[in-house]
Amino acid sequence: MNGMAPERRLMGLIFLCVFLMSHSGTPAEAAERSVLIRLRELPGSLAKTAAQDHPSFGIPSLDAVARRYPPVRIVPVAPVTNDTNRLQKALLTNSAFRWVKWVAPDSVEPERLLDELLRLDEVEAAELNRAFRLHHLPDDPLIGSQWALSRIRAFDAWEVERGKAEVLIAVIDSGIDYTHPDLAGNLYVHPGEDVNGNGVVDAADFNGVDDDHNGFIDDVRGWDFTDAPNYPSGGDYLERDNDPMDEMGHGTAVAGLIAAVADNRIGIAGLAPGCRILNLRAMNAGGYGEEDDVASAILYAVSMKAGVINMSWGDTFVTRLLDDVVRYAASQNVVLVASAGNASSDMIHYPSGFEPVISVGATTAEDYYAASFTNYGPTIDL
Ligand SMILES: [Ca+2]
Ligand SMILES: [Ca+2]
Ligand SMILES: [Ca+2]
Ligand SMILES: [Ca+2]
């Protein structure tokens, strides 16, 4: 805890109640048969070819590999925007925007493809596309709010520092039940897609047009980034879409804790005025969220000017993609908070283990003592 910037520490305190407890670390495993690669330079036409599902990079060495291991698709991980100026600028300046997903057919071993790609000069980094697991919330819902009440001074300080606390809080999780009466009023409505401008999500807003030209059609109530074909969940897990409905309850519970905690002290009917929750689904009904999906969600949250990104999931494998994306988000002054997991080991857990991320372990009311079930080790901030 010592040495943390007061503001970061504060935000971590506020959200500490949200994370807690996972019962096991999941062994890292290849999820979709896809490989994530960071190119030294992204060809100008990639966004276009990816949209057309054209399996070509326009880079000779990469295309030679593509002939031997024909990709099903090549997709940029960063959200594709129609604003070419914005896209080009980002591409030139930040490695987080040079990642692409190479989807291989079933006949190709992803590990072999990975080996081939890592040999190329044009490929700066490559890794298998793996999945993170959601962390279990505490069984006792009072733990979160009681702990928060005991930290009432943190809220006081937050008000002072943040003024009216007009913060967009992106919750990257299993989605949020946006019909829930206690939550609906706290959820962000994207003005760029609120066609009739009434501040409410209604049928008129779903006009099938990307009204704000950000590359997402009708993203008025957030987005569902879940495309995880190797993690069948019985629900919506194959295609990304504009419906981030929660299919397992985890994200709804997280949003409820955030809203309820704020309500204890700050809120007038929920979060402070102007403070809203951005619903970004990246975890399916089984509690799995692929790297490319959570990475896209983080980049989207940054593009929407989120002030805080809340991540109650993780695993122990190292991911260069998420490292890049998290660094980029931090460089845009986004506060990132992630749960530390509780494999009861000192294995470093990600994304909570990345330097810019506030890592939150489960605690008891005596917050100087980490609860016995959390991870311990050098990366725990709180
Ligand atoms: Ca509307
Ligand atoms: Ca849009
Ligand atoms: Ca629209
Ligand atoms: Ca995916």
Side-chain angles (χ1 to χ4, degrees), residues 125-136:
E127 61 197 27
L128 299 175
N129 187 15
R130 290 167 291 193
F132 298 101
R133 278 220 72 173
L134 283 172
H135 292 151
H136 296 190

Side-chain angles (χ1 to χ4, degrees), residues 120-131:
L120 305 181
D121 285 343
E122 290 80 3
V123 173
E124 287 183 335
E127 61 197 27
L128 299 175
N129 187 15
R130 290 167 291 193

Side-chain angles (χ1 to χ4, degrees), residues 194-202 205:
D194 181 13
V195 175
N196 54 13
N198 61 357
V200 175
V201 177
D202 41 29
D205 300 328

Side-chain angles (χ1 to χ4, degrees), residues 13 15 27 39 79 83 92 99 117 126 138 167 177 194 238 259 293-294 298 320-321 376:
L13 290 170
F15 286 98
L39 299 174
D83 181 345
L92 289 172
W99 284 88
L117 290 168
V167 178
D177 178 1
D194 181 13
L238 285 174
D293 304 341
V294 299
I298 292 170
R320 297 281 302 275
L321 166 59
Y376 51 89

Side-chain angles (χ1 to χ4, degrees), residues 104-380:
D106 286 349
S107 56
V108 172
E109 248 341 289
E111 288 82 359
R112 285 189 60 185
L113 175 59
L114 185 66
D115 283 346
E116 293 267 347
L117 290 168
L118 281 167
R119 291 190 196 127
L120 305 181
D121 285 343
E122 290 80 3
V123 173
E124 287 183 335
E127 61 197 27
L128 299 175
N129 187 15
R130 290 167 291 193
F132 298 101
R133 278 220 72 173
L134 283 172
H135 292 151
H136 296 190
L137 292 166
D139 291 336
D140 177 3
L142 290 177
I143 290 173
S145 53
Q146 284 169 350
W147 187 89
L149 282 167
S150 76
R151 287 291 161 274
I152 207 85
R153 280 156 60 203
F155 290 104
D156 288 340
W158 193 39
E159 285 184 287
V160 170
E161 289 193 16
R162 296 267 167 173
K164 290 190 172 130
E166 291 173 356
V167 178
L168 184 59
I169 303 164
V171 174
I172 300 176
D173 212 285
S174 60
I176 297 169
D177 178 1
Y178 43 77
T179 66
H180 196 295
D182 294 341
L183 290 176
N186 293 317
L187 300 179
Y188 181 67
V189 179
H190 177 25
E193 291 278 2
D194 181 13
V195 175
N196 54 13
N198 61 357
V200 175
V201 177
D202 41 29
D205 300 328
F206 294 92
N207 59 358
V209 176
D210 182 11
D211 291 286
D212 66 328
H213 309 293
N214 69 345
F216 297 83
I217 296 169
D218 296 341
D219 53 330
V220 61
R221 58 161 56 115
W223 197 257
D224 172 16
F225 285 93
T226 307
D227 63 356
N230 276 16
Y231 287 85
S233 68
D236 175 11
Y237 68 96
L238 285 174
E239 302 282 346
R240 296 181 175 185
D241 56 58
N242 61 18
D243 187 0
M245 177 54 89
D246 188 359
E247 292 183 346
M248 71 173 294
H250 188 280
T252 303
V254 166
L257 280 171
I258 291 173
V261 166
D263 191 37
N264 284 335
R265 177 64 183 139
I266 305 173
I268 303 159
L271 296 181
C275 190
R276 292 287 178 271
I277 294 171
L278 174 58
N279 180 3
L280 301 182
R281 182 176 187 261
M283 301 286 175
N284 68 16
Y288 287 98
E290 282 189 321
E291 261 182 84
D292 67 313
D293 304 341
V294 299
S296 295
I298 292 170
L299 291 171
Y300 177 88
V302 176
S303 77
M304 297 297 278
K305 307 262 183 271
V308 179
I309 296 177
N310 187 93
M311 303 175 284
S312 300
W313 40 264
D315 212 317
T316 50
F317 59 80
V318 180
T319 149
R320 297 281 302 275
L321 166 59
L322 220 59
D323 192 16
D324 279 356
V325 166
V326 158
R327 279 176 204 281
Y328 171 71
S331 77
Q332 302 300 301
N333 299 316
V334 179
V335 176
L336 299 116
V337 188
S339 48
N342 79 337
S344 295
S345 78
D346 59 359
M347 287 185 73
I348 296 179
H349 186 274
Y350 300 99
S352 64
F354 290 128
E355 191 275 332
V357 177
I358 297 174
S359 170
V360 181
T363 74
T364 65
E366 301 295 321
D367 62 352
Y368 295 104
Y369 300 96
S372 59
F373 45 78
T374 57
N375 279 330
Y376 51 89
T379 65
I380 307 289

